[in-house]
PDB file of all heavy atoms in Angstrom:
ATOM      1  N   PRO C 175      -4.829  -3.766   5.163  1.00 98.00           N
ATOM      2  CA  PRO C 175      -3.924  -4.817   5.592  1.00 98.00           C
ATOM      3  C   PRO C 175      -2.472  -4.330   5.651  1.00 98.00           C
ATOM      4  O   PRO C 175      -2.082  -3.455   4.889  1.00 98.00           O
ATOM      5  CB  PRO C 175      -4.068  -5.891   4.511  1.00 98.00           C
ATOM      6  CG  PRO C 175      -5.345  -5.612   3.830  1.00 98.00           C
ATOM      7  CD  PRO C 175      -5.577  -4.146   3.944  1.00 98.00           C
ATOM      8  N   ASN C 176      -1.726  -4.983   6.564  1.00 98.00           N
ATOM      9  CA  ASN C 176      -0.330  -4.593   6.697  1.00 98.00           C
ATOM     10  C   ASN C 176       0.482  -5.159   5.530  1.00 98.00           C
ATOM     11  O   ASN C 176       0.146  -6.186   4.953  1.00 98.00           O
ATOM     12  CB  ASN C 176       0.216  -5.114   8.028  1.00 98.00           C
ATOM     13  CG  ASN C 176       1.537  -4.471   8.415  1.00 98.00           C
ATOM     14  OD1 ASN C 176       1.909  -3.434   7.859  1.00 98.00           O
ATOM     15  ND2 ASN C 176       2.238  -5.080   9.352  1.00 98.00           N
ATOM     16  N   ALA C 177       1.529  -4.434   5.173  1.00 97.00           N
ATOM     17  CA  ALA C 177       2.503  -4.918   4.195  1.00 97.00           C
ATOM     18  C   ALA C 177       3.826  -5.029   4.952  1.00 97.00           C
ATOM     19  O   ALA C 177       4.143  -4.119   5.715  1.00 97.00           O
ATOM     20  CB  ALA C 177       2.623  -3.923   3.056  1.00 97.00           C
ATOM     21  N   PRO C 178       4.609  -6.068   4.804  1.00 97.00           N
ATOM     22  CA  PRO C 178       4.432  -7.143   3.827  1.00 97.00           C
ATOM     23  C   PRO C 178       3.669  -8.360   4.348  1.00 97.00           C
ATOM     24  O   PRO C 178       3.687  -9.389   3.678  1.00 97.00           O
ATOM     25  CB  PRO C 178       5.891  -7.534   3.523  1.00 97.00           C
ATOM     26  CG  PRO C 178       6.591  -7.365   4.847  1.00 97.00           C
ATOM     27  CD  PRO C 178       5.905  -6.182   5.499  1.00 97.00           C
ATOM     28  N   THR C 179       3.015  -8.277   5.505  1.00 98.00           N
ATOM     29  CA  THR C 179       2.468  -9.508   6.075  1.00 98.00           C
ATOM     30  C   THR C 179       1.118  -9.902   5.473  1.00 98.00           C
ATOM     31  O   THR C 179       0.776 -11.079   5.458  1.00 98.00           O
ATOM     32  CB  THR C 179       2.291  -9.367   7.606  1.00 98.00           C
ATOM     33  OG1 THR C 179       1.276  -8.384   7.857  1.00 98.00           O
ATOM     34  CG2 THR C 179       3.576  -8.966   8.284  1.00 98.00           C
ATOM     35  N   GLY C 180       0.319  -8.929   5.050  1.00 98.00           N
ATOM     36  CA  GLY C 180      -1.021  -9.223   4.518  1.00 98.00           C
ATOM     37  C   GLY C 180      -2.073  -9.370   5.591  1.00 98.00           C
ATOM     38  O   GLY C 180      -3.257  -9.511   5.306  1.00 98.00           O
ATOM     39  N   ARG C 181      -1.653  -9.331   6.865  1.00 98.00           N
ATOM     40  CA  ARG C 181      -2.617  -9.465   7.967  1.00 98.00           C
ATOM     41  C   ARG C 181      -3.400  -8.167   8.136  1.00 98.00           C
ATOM     42  O   ARG C 181      -2.856  -7.081   7.962  1.00 98.00           O
ATOM     43  CB  ARG C 181      -1.872  -9.744   9.276  1.00 98.00           C
ATOM     44  CG  ARG C 181      -1.464 -11.190   9.442  1.00 98.00           C
ATOM     45  CD  ARG C 181      -0.997 -11.389  10.888  1.00 98.00           C
ATOM     46  NE  ARG C 181      -0.732 -12.774  11.189  1.00 98.00           N
ATOM     47  CZ  ARG C 181      -1.658 -13.661  11.519  1.00 98.00           C
ATOM     48  NH1 ARG C 181      -2.922 -13.310  11.578  1.00 98.00           N
ATOM     49  NH2 ARG C 181      -1.321 -14.908  11.796  1.00 98.00           N
ATOM     50  N   ALA C 182      -4.666  -8.303   8.523  1.00 98.00           N
ATOM     51  CA  ALA C 182      -5.491  -7.103   8.677  1.00 98.00           C
ATOM     52  C   ALA C 182      -6.089  -7.012  10.070  1.00 98.00           C
ATOM     53  O   ALA C 182      -6.409  -8.024  10.695  1.00 98.00           O
ATOM     54  CB  ALA C 182      -6.602  -7.104   7.635  1.00 98.00           C
ATOM     55  N   LEU C 183      -6.240  -5.774  10.542  1.00 98.00           N
ATOM     56  CA  LEU C 183      -6.996  -5.507  11.764  1.00 98.00           C
ATOM     57  C   LEU C 183      -8.464  -5.348  11.388  1.00 98.00           C
ATOM     58  O   LEU C 183      -8.790  -5.018  10.245  1.00 98.00           O
ATOM     59  CB  LEU C 183      -6.492  -4.208  12.404  1.00 98.00           C
ATOM     60  CG  LEU C 183      -5.100  -4.241  13.008  1.00 98.00           C
ATOM     61  CD1 LEU C 183      -4.667  -2.833  13.407  1.00 98.00           C
ATOM     62  CD2 LEU C 183      -5.063  -5.170  14.216  1.00 98.00           C
ATOM     63  N   THR C 184      -9.351  -5.533  12.363  1.00 98.00           N
ATOM     64  CA  THR C 184     -10.775  -5.319  12.106  1.00 98.00           C
ATOM     65  C   THR C 184     -11.104  -3.835  12.292  1.00 98.00           C
ATOM     66  O   THR C 184     -10.314  -3.074  12.874  1.00 98.00           O
ATOM     67  CB  THR C 184     -11.634  -6.120  13.099  1.00 98.00           C
ATOM     68  OG1 THR C 184     -11.346  -5.614  14.413  1.00 98.00           O
ATOM     69  CG2 THR C 184     -11.324  -7.602  13.035  1.00 98.00           C
ATOM     70  N   ARG C 185     -12.296  -3.454  11.837  1.00 98.00           N
ATOM     71  CA  ARG C 185     -12.740  -2.072  12.057  1.00 98.00           C
ATOM     72  C   ARG C 185     -12.852  -1.792  13.565  1.00 98.00           C
ATOM     73  O   ARG C 185     -12.553  -0.694  14.020  1.00 98.00           O
ATOM     74  CB  ARG C 185     -14.087  -1.846  11.368  1.00 98.00           C
ATOM     75  CG  ARG C 185     -14.537  -0.392  11.451  1.00 98.00           C
ATOM     76  CD  ARG C 185     -15.868  -0.207  10.761  1.00 98.00           C
ATOM     77  NE  ARG C 185     -15.782  -0.661   9.386  1.00 98.00           N
ATOM     78  CZ  ARG C 185     -16.784  -1.240   8.722  1.00 98.00           C
ATOM     79  NH1 ARG C 185     -17.945  -1.403   9.289  1.00 98.00           N
ATOM     80  NH2 ARG C 185     -16.617  -1.635   7.470  1.00 98.00           N
ATOM     81  N   ASP C 186     -13.248  -2.802  14.335  1.00 98.00           N
ATOM     82  CA  ASP C 186     -13.345  -2.615  15.795  1.00 98.00           C
ATOM     83  C   ASP C 186     -11.978  -2.314  16.406  1.00 98.00           C
ATOM     84  O   ASP C 186     -11.873  -1.515  17.339  1.00 98.00           O
ATOM     85  CB  ASP C 186     -13.938  -3.865  16.466  1.00 98.00           C
ATOM     86  CG  ASP C 186     -15.431  -3.975  16.208  1.00 98.00           C
ATOM     87  OD1 ASP C 186     -16.028  -2.991  15.723  1.00 98.00           O
ATOM     88  OD2 ASP C 186     -15.993  -5.049  16.486  1.00 98.00           O
ATOM     89  N   ASP C 187     -10.926  -2.968  15.909  1.00 98.00           N
ATOM     90  CA  ASP C 187      -9.567  -2.673  16.411  1.00 98.00           C
ATOM     91  C   ASP C 187      -9.216  -1.208  16.148  1.00 98.00           C
ATOM     92  O   ASP C 187      -8.648  -0.530  17.015  1.00 98.00           O
ATOM     93  CB  ASP C 187      -8.510  -3.533  15.697  1.00 98.00           C
ATOM     94  CG  ASP C 187      -8.585  -5.001  16.080  1.00 98.00           C
ATOM     95  OD1 ASP C 187      -8.892  -5.295  17.239  1.00 98.00           O
ATOM     96  OD2 ASP C 187      -8.327  -5.846  15.191  1.00 98.00           O
ATOM     97  N   ILE C 188      -9.530  -0.745  14.947  1.00 98.00           N
ATOM     98  CA  ILE C 188      -9.192   0.653  14.601  1.00 98.00           C
ATOM     99  C   ILE C 188     -10.014   1.608  15.474  1.00 98.00           C
ATOM    100  O   ILE C 188      -9.492   2.617  15.971  1.00 98.00           O
ATOM    101  CB  ILE C 188      -9.464   0.935  13.094  1.00 98.00           C
ATOM    102  CG1 ILE C 188      -8.676  -0.044  12.200  1.00 98.00           C
ATOM    103  CG2 ILE C 188      -9.142   2.394  12.744  1.00 98.00           C
ATOM    104  CD1 ILE C 188      -7.179   0.081  12.218  1.00 98.00           C
ATOM    105  N   ALA C 189     -11.288   1.259  15.695  1.00 98.00           N
ATOM    106  CA  ALA C 189     -12.148   2.106  16.548  1.00 98.00           C
ATOM    107  C   ALA C 189     -11.564   2.177  17.963  1.00 98.00           C
ATOM    108  O   ALA C 189     -11.522   3.253  18.578  1.00 98.00           O
ATOM    109  CB  ALA C 189     -13.561   1.550  16.580  1.00 98.00           C
TER     110      ALA C 189
END
Side-chain angles (χ1 to χ4, degrees):
N176 194 16
T179 66
R181 279 191 173 278
L183 291 171
T184 63
R185 185 180 304 146
D186 286 348
D187 290 325
I188 303 293

